[in-house]
Amino acid sequence: MEEKSIKKNHAVSKANLNGLMNIIRNLYLADDIPWVIGYSGGKDSTATLQLVWYALKELPNNKLNKTVHIMHTNTLVESPVVSKWAYDSIEIMQEKAKEDGLPFETHILTPEVDQTYWVNLIGRGYPFPRKKIRWCTDRLKIQPVNKFIQSKIAEHGEIILVIGTRKAESQNRARTMAKYEKLRVRELLSPNPSLANELVFSPLEDWTDNDVWAFLMQYKNPWGYSNRDLLTLYRGATADNECPIMHERNLPTCGKSRFGCWVCTMVEQDKSMAAMIMNDEEKAWMTPLLDFRNEFGDERQDRGRRSFRKMNGSIFGTYERLHHGPYLKEWREYFLRRLLEIQKGINENGPDEFKNLELITKDELREIRKIWVIDKHEFDDSLPRIYEEVIGEKYIDPQWLGSKTFGQEEWILLKNVCKDIAPDEELLFEMAYTLLDKENYSNGLNQRKGILNSLERTIKNTFYKNEADATQYYSSRVNRKQEYGGKFNEKFLEHIDISPDELDTDNEDE
């Protein structure tokens, strides 16, 4: 980067930076409210933390009386390269903070094991996230962060959240930040609309992408990690492998590179990972991740992979067709097998630093097994078998307390009997194994309360011959309600040519 390019960035001139760091110091010293800094490992959070670090380093030790919590959220499905970058950086900054006598404390947050991406998609069978079924962000990011912040608020009464959000990121971001500027209770501190007793400080709010990069290139990373390596990471994530600091019209900029979950299906294509693979032969090992993401995120195939009933077994529809719900058993098992195959391939053939990479954790596997066997009554208990066939090791779970009455042998026998009795009845086998497992479970626990109602619900949810039969049943029920003047689903009677995915817009927990 040319020296003259840096000088054009007035926001990062020495005078302006000194003024901003004075503001940071004054805010820090103004009260006893602890700070929480969000750190993702990306350029904006790095620049924010770097500013605070430089500012506090100028204070005498007797003034550094309150903790600054550095909070990193690991969704467990982050891009492996970016996740490793962030983890390594956090490890170094904790050591450096101790060495410099600075009040920084690092925290790595993860979602609750029963709310992770794979537990929901492979375990419960939630459809992959999309614009109208977006279940991932809240579970993977918002809930872990809110839980951590609420614990600090409970401990201290209130906290100040320091984040790297900027108005230049998007028009929506600029409007939101401007709105909460008007509600500021103290200078530079905005209220959080979703959490009480949390104030938000955005020191980079008026910076552009170019300001951020100029600052990172001009000022050395204070905890000893390379900002130039960060620039290289961003450059590798752009399709043309270009990343000019001074953005000119019609030229690409590193600011447009986006890192996040490698499984993200909120965008049509994962351009950043595709660019990494294309620009660097050493990252070709990530190709199976990209291929798998495109495979399970294929909207054209998705509807046929899912049950025509909702998560609770009920049916609902619009425009003369039923909404589809969770993934069928065979597809949940297929997704697990593919994920484990990719993990094993990376462990054996990928770079040395990823030889122990877990795409799915042991805790997640235990949770998925529990959902399949206990909640979904799939007593063939297929997860250990799939794991052993793919990984080549014995699946060990000392915590498992599943029933020993029925297993794979009984599962296959029951399946064959149902097929022989009524080969055209698609749900007969599910009805049979669910009734059998519920009865066995209630007997084993000697808990008969509510068992009859539970068995009746199972029959009501599985007595359809197939989707056509269920659609006809639902249609006749809607028409009967209309005929007798009751409240009915008017949208189901409308006929509109619409994409099948548009039918599956209701909440997955409904």
Side-chain angles (χ1 to χ4, degrees), residues 249-267:
R249 184 172 296 179
N250 299 325
L251 285 181
T253 170
C254 281
K256 301 304 179 186
S257 300
R258 293 294 182 191
F259 298 125
C261 304
W262 68 267
V263 296
C264 184
T265 48
M266 298 304 300
V267 292

Side-chain angles (χ1 to χ4, degrees), residues 284-299:
W285 60 271
M286 292 195 296
T287 302
L289 299 178
L290 187 63
D291 291 342
F292 183 45
R293 176 263 183 203
N294 293 338
E295 180 181 14
F296 72 75
D298 185 351
E299 289 194 19

Side-chain angles (χ1 to χ4, degrees), residues 252-467:
T253 170
C254 281
K256 301 304 179 186
S257 300
R258 293 294 182 191
F259 298 125
C261 304
W262 68 267
V263 296
C264 184
T265 48
M266 298 304 300
V267 292
E268 188 174 343
Q269 294 180 323
D270 187 343
K271 295 181 180 179
S272 64
M273 179 173 280
M276 281 186 182
I277 295 169
M278 180 181 66
N279 294 331
D280 188 350
E281 290 183 0
E282 294 184 357
K283 292 186 174 63
W285 60 271
M286 292 195 296
T287 302
L289 299 178
L290 187 63
D291 291 342
F292 183 45
R293 176 263 183 203
N294 293 338
E295 180 181 14
F296 72 75
D298 185 351
E299 289 194 19
R300 297 169 300 177
Q301 304 293 330
D302 190 62
R303 184 174 167 83
R305 297 168 174 170
R306 293 156 53 192
S307 170
F308 59 81
R309 295 162 299 156
K310 305 307 294 178
M311 191 69 68
N312 62 6
S314 63
I315 56 175
F316 183 78
T318 50
Y319 311 123
E320 301 179 336
R321 287 182 286 189
L322 297 179
H323 289 191
H324 280 205
Y327 290 114
L328 299 167
K329 183 178 191 292
E330 58 264 34
W331 283 104
R332 288 184 275 111
E333 293 176 341
Y334 171 77
F335 291 152
L336 175 62
R337 184 178 294 274
R338 286 283 292 119
L339 186 63
L340 291 172
E341 288 171 348
I342 295 168
Q343 176 177 295
K344 183 180 181 183
I346 293 173
N347 294 159
E348 294 179 349
N349 305 311
D352 289 342
E353 60 264 36
F354 294 103
K355 64 181 180 181
N356 295 319
L357 174 69
E358 284 188 332
L359 296 179
I360 183 168
T361 66
K362 297 293 194 303
D363 287 341
E364 289 178 288
L365 289 172
R366 282 192 283 269
E367 190 68 23
I368 290 170
R369 184 188 189 188
K370 184 175 73 174
I371 291 171
W372 285 4
V373 175
I374 297 176
D375 297 347
K376 293 184 179 294
H377 307 285
E378 296 166 358
F379 57 77
D380 63 325
D381 194 13
S382 60
L383 187 144
R385 184 173 67 256
I386 293 171
Y387 180 89
E388 292 170 9
E389 289 173 356
V390 175
I391 302 300
E393 300 175 0
K394 183 73 175 176
Y395 179 80
I396 300 175
D397 182 3
Q399 302 175 6
W400 181 248
L401 297 174
S403 172
K404 304 295 183 182
T405 306
F406 301 123
Q408 185 185 13
E409 185 177 348
E410 288 79 13
W411 179 272
I412 294 173
L413 177 62
L414 182 62
K415 184 175 184 179
N416 289 335
V417 169
C418 291
K419 186 175 181 181
D420 290 341
I421 293 175
D424 296 333
E425 295 283 347
E426 293 182 6
L427 297 184
L428 177 59
F429 177 47
E430 181 181 336
M431 179 190 290
Y433 73 67
T434 303
L435 291 173
L436 186 63
D437 192 60
K438 283 186 175 182
E439 178 66 27
N440 174 62
Y441 187 75
S442 64
N443 276 335
L445 294 179
N446 196 26
Q447 293 181 353
R448 304 294 296 173
K449 184 178 180 180
I451 182 62
L452 293 180
N453 288 336
S454 180
L455 297 178
E456 183 179 355
R457 283 195 302 271
T458 296
I459 295 172
K460 286 183 177 180
N461 291 339
T462 55
F463 77 93
Y464 316 106
K465 181 177 182 180
N466 49 34
E467 182 171 359

Side-chain angles (χ1 to χ4, degrees), residues 48-167:
T48 301
L49 179 54
Q50 191 165 303
L51 269 172
V52 174
W53 195 295
Y54 273 121
L56 298 189
K57 196 172 182 180
E58 296 300 315
L59 290 174
N61 288 338
N62 63 351
K63 297 287 187 181
L64 299 171
N65 296 323
K66 66 181 185 183
T67 304
V68 178
H69 301 279
I70 300 172
M71 175 183 64
H72 172 71
T73 306
N74 178 13
T75 64
L76 303 180
V77 283
E78 300 290 325
S79 164
V81 172
V82 178
S83 181
K84 187 176 187 304
W85 168 275
Y87 264 68
D88 290 347
S89 181
I90 288 170
E91 186 176 341
I92 291 174
M93 71 175 63
Q94 184 66 72
E95 296 175 0
K96 185 62 174 174
K98 185 177 181 180
E99 179 185 323
D100 291 350
L102 294 173
F104 294 110
E105 218 175 83
T106 58
H107 307 268
I108 296 177
L109 314 180
T110 57
E112 297 290 339
V113 68
D114 67 335
Q115 292 300 327
T116 68
Y117 189 87
W118 297 123
V119 167
N120 279 309
L121 188 136
I122 294 177
R124 296 186 176 92
Y126 284 5
F128 70 80
R130 62 208 80 181
K131 291 181 180 179
K132 294 189 177 181
I133 319 178
R134 186 170 184 167
W135 51 262
C136 53
T137 305
D138 180 65
R139 290 170 169 84
L140 305 187
K141 293 185 177 182
I142 296 175
Q143 288 184 17
V145 169
N146 284 354
K147 181 180 179 181
F148 177 79
I149 290 176
Q150 286 169 346
S151 71
K152 296 304 172 187
I153 291 175
E155 184 179 351
H156 301 283
E158 57 184 332
I159 62 105
I160 294 174
L161 180 65
V162 186
I163 51 179
T165 52
R166 298 179 294 107
K167 295 174 183 176

Side-chain angles (χ1 to χ4, degrees), residues 183-212:
L183 302 175
R184 283 179 172 170
V185 295
R186 283 173 48 189
E187 186 179 5
L188 300 174
L189 299 180
S190 302
N192 187 322
S194 58
L195 281 178
N197 297 333
E198 177 187 291
L199 299 174
V200 180
F201 174 40
S202 306
L204 308 186
E205 61 183 4
D206 294 318
W207 285 27
T208 65
D209 291 334
N210 296 327
D211 295 331
V212 174

Side-chain angles (χ1 to χ4, degrees), residues 169-236:
E169 289 181 78
S170 68
Q171 291 183 352
N172 286 340
R173 179 61 58 82
R175 283 195 294 268
T176 301
M177 293 180 73
K179 173 184 176 182
Y180 287 104
E181 277 180 20
K182 298 176 182 178
L183 302 175
R184 283 179 172 170
V185 295
R186 283 173 48 189
E187 186 179 5
L188 300 174
L189 299 180
S190 302
N192 187 322
S194 58
L195 281 178
N197 297 333
E198 177 187 291
L199 299 174
V200 180
F201 174 40
S202 306
L204 308 186
E205 61 183 4
D206 294 318
W207 285 27
T208 65
D209 291 334
N210 296 327
D211 295 331
V212 174
W213 282 117
F215 171 65
L216 292 175
M217 293 301 101
Q218 187 177 2
Y219 291 87
K220 185 178 179 181
N221 184 293
W223 55 88
Y225 225 47
S226 172
N227 286 340
R228 292 196 177 275
D229 287 347
L230 180 62
L231 175 64
T232 300
L233 191 64
Y234 270 83
R235 179 183 287 122

